[in-house]
């Protein structure tokens, strides 16, 4: 089954790469759809993620020129680190860790610095196609999913990998761009599509997705309320009325149907803990506080086995006594051990790695601010989107390990920059 799906995915990638050549946004969104569809059926990142990674490289072939010093610095750091650990540590674990954790940031800078010229594309169609695929996958998982919450609803995941919600998050930069460049009729349609997206995000049970969605849609919803009013006072009044009405509806519904409290809580996982992530974070901090200075600064490497370090085993045993499970995995595996991106970076790259991630994030904020400065709505929406993306990585990475999200964000920014230059010319 895995081999067949992998071969089908490769064939689909090649076909769409040829068919959508130079339609870069459409191409990358369709490649992400192919990846998500394949993941739905086999649920294993280690099979499909390397294939998707190679497909994402096609975007950059023949288009990497005039690379900035910052991009050279980031690529140089990870390149030297990757070369070293490939020689002295586990090759497979190193490659998986690099693709799953590092590529999402690197690919953003490579796309931004590329010489890609974006043609006019049907962004509305792209978002609508994403919603159709998301809906079909959601319906399929509702009938076939095996992970059932206490409320009796099926969580829309495959082998614990969240399926629905990923396309919703990946298309949000497209939503921001299209919404603030459309008339009121199209804006209403965009809002409606994203409400359907929200349903699939909620049913995926992934709080990180919900956080990204809420932050990004905040500015859009403010603007949508504004265009229905004449001034700021009316805007605030309408928002207040909506909040009060929503509150009354919730209170009445809960009084009439008391069991709804538990159902809503279960769907949104409001009181659910972050599970094993709590133990993972404590384990990473405990190890960092008690390991050698070399490991604190440089980490143990992407292919290093944490179980080889006595101080790690001591920290792991502390968490096992507190209730942590999957001891064999945390003792023997290497590469990507934790859900939390930053815990992985601290373990594998040390303090220097955390510094690099912070620096890269600051550069991305700077690029968003600089390119989208002509539209404060787009600027703040994309800033909030990237903020949500960083917060999401604290809980867990998205199904495509952030690669699709960062590529599409970079392409949207290039689209904005290109339009500004064409307008100036």
């Amino acid at each position: 089954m895995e081999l067949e799906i992998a071969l089908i995915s490769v064939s689909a990638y090649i076909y769409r790469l040829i068919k959508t050549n130079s339609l870069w946004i459409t191409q990358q969104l369709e490649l992400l759809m192919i990846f998500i569809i394949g993941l739905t059926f086999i649920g294993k990142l280690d099979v499909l993620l390397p294939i998707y990674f190679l497909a994402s490289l096609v975007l950059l072939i023949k288009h990497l020129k005039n690379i900035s010093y910052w991009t050279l610095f980031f690529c140089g750091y990870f390149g030297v680190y990757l070369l070293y650990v490939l020689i002295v540590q586990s090759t497979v674990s190193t490659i998986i860790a690099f693709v799953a954790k590092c590529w999402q940031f690197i690919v953003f800078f490579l796309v931004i610095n590329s010489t890609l010229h974006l043609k006019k594309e049907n962004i509305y169609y792209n978002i609508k196609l994403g919603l159709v695929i998301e809906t079909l996958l959601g319906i399929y998982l509702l009938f076939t999913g095996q992970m059932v919450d206490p409320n009796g609803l099926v969580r829309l995941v495959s082998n614990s990998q969240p399926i629905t919600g990923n396309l919703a998050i990946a298309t949000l930069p497209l939503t921001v761009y299209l919404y603030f460049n459309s008339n009121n009729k199209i804006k209403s349609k965009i809002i409606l599509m994203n409400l359907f997206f929200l349903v699939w995000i909620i049913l995926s049970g992934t709080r990180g997705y919900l956080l990204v969605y809420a932050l990004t849609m905040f500015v859009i919803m403010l603007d949508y309320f504004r265009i229905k009013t004449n001034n700021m006072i009316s805007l605030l009044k309408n928002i207040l009325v909506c909040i009060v009405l929503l509150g009354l509806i919730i209170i009445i519904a809960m009084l009439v149907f008391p069991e709804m409290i538990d159902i809503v809580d279960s769907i949104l996982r409001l009181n659910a803990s972050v599970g094993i992530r709590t133990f993972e974070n404590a384990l990473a901090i405990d190890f960092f506080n008690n390991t050698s200075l070399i490991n604190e600064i440089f980490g143990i490497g992407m292919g290093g086995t944490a179980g080889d370090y006595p101080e790690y085993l001591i920290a792991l045993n502390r968490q096992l006594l507190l209730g942590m499970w999957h001891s064999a995995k945390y003792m023997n595996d290497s590469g990507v051990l934790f859900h939390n991106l930053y815990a992985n970076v601290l373990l594998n790259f040390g303090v220097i790695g955390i510094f690099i991630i912070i620096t890269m994030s600051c550069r991305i904020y700077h690029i968003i601010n600089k390119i989208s400065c002509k539209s404060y709505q787009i600027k703040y929406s994309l800033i909030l989107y990237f903020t949500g993306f960083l917060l999401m990585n604290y809980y867990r990475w998205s199904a495509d390990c952030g690669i699709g999200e960062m590529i599409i964000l970079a392409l949207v920014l290039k689209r904005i920059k290109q339009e500004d230059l064409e307008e100036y010319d």
Side-chain angles (χ1 to χ4, degrees), residues 40-41 137-147 154-157:
T40 302
F41 288 100
L137 292 177
I139 293 172
Y140 170 78
L141 289 171
L142 281 173
F143 287 99
T144 63
Q146 301 297 316
M147 186 176 291
V154 176
R155 282 191 63 194
L156 306 184
V157 300

Side-chain angles (χ1 to χ4, degrees), residues 4 9 90 138 191 200 226 264 267 274 290 292 322 363:
E4 288 83 351
S9 296
S90 169
I191 294 294
W200 297 119
R226 182 187 62 79
V264 172
I267 292 174
V274 291
N290 293 284
S292 66
L322 293 174
R363 286 299 303 169

Side-chain angles (χ1 to χ4, degrees), residues 272-288:
S273 70
V274 291
I276 202 168
R277 297 164 180 77
T278 303
F279 297 112
E280 290 177 346
N281 294 338
L283 171 58
I285 294 172
D286 194 352
F287 172 68
F288 176 80

Side-chain angles (χ1 to χ4, degrees), residues 75-124:
C75 291
Y77 168 77
F78 284 108
V80 171
Y81 208 101
L82 185 62
L83 181 63
Y84 170 75
V85 295
L86 280 173
I87 294 173
V88 302
Q89 295 181 341
S90 169
T91 301
V92 175
S93 297
T94 297
I95 293 174
I96 291 175
F98 174 77
V99 174
K101 295 302 179 184
C102 308
W103 185 242
Q104 59 184 330
F105 291 98
I106 298 171
V107 74
F108 174 88
F109 290 99
L110 293 177
V111 173
I112 282 292
N113 288 159
S114 70
T115 57
L116 291 170
H117 182 80
L118 277 70
K119 297 180 179 180
K120 292 290 184 181
E121 299 183 50
N122 192 335
I123 302 299
Y124 181 81

Side-chain angles (χ1 to χ4, degrees), residues 174-210:
L174 299 178
T175 293
V176 170
Y177 170 80
L178 182 62
Y179 178 88
F180 289 112
N181 286 284
S182 299
N183 57 43
N184 292 345
K185 183 178 179 180
I186 298 297
K187 285 183 176 182
S188 297
K189 292 182 179 180
I190 293 171
I191 294 294
L192 182 61
M193 285 194 295
N194 275 274
L195 289 177
F196 281 110
F197 268 132
L198 177 60
V199 173
W200 297 119
I201 290 174
I202 292 173
L203 291 178
S204 75
T206 307
R207 287 165 289 194
Y209 287 173
L210 190 59

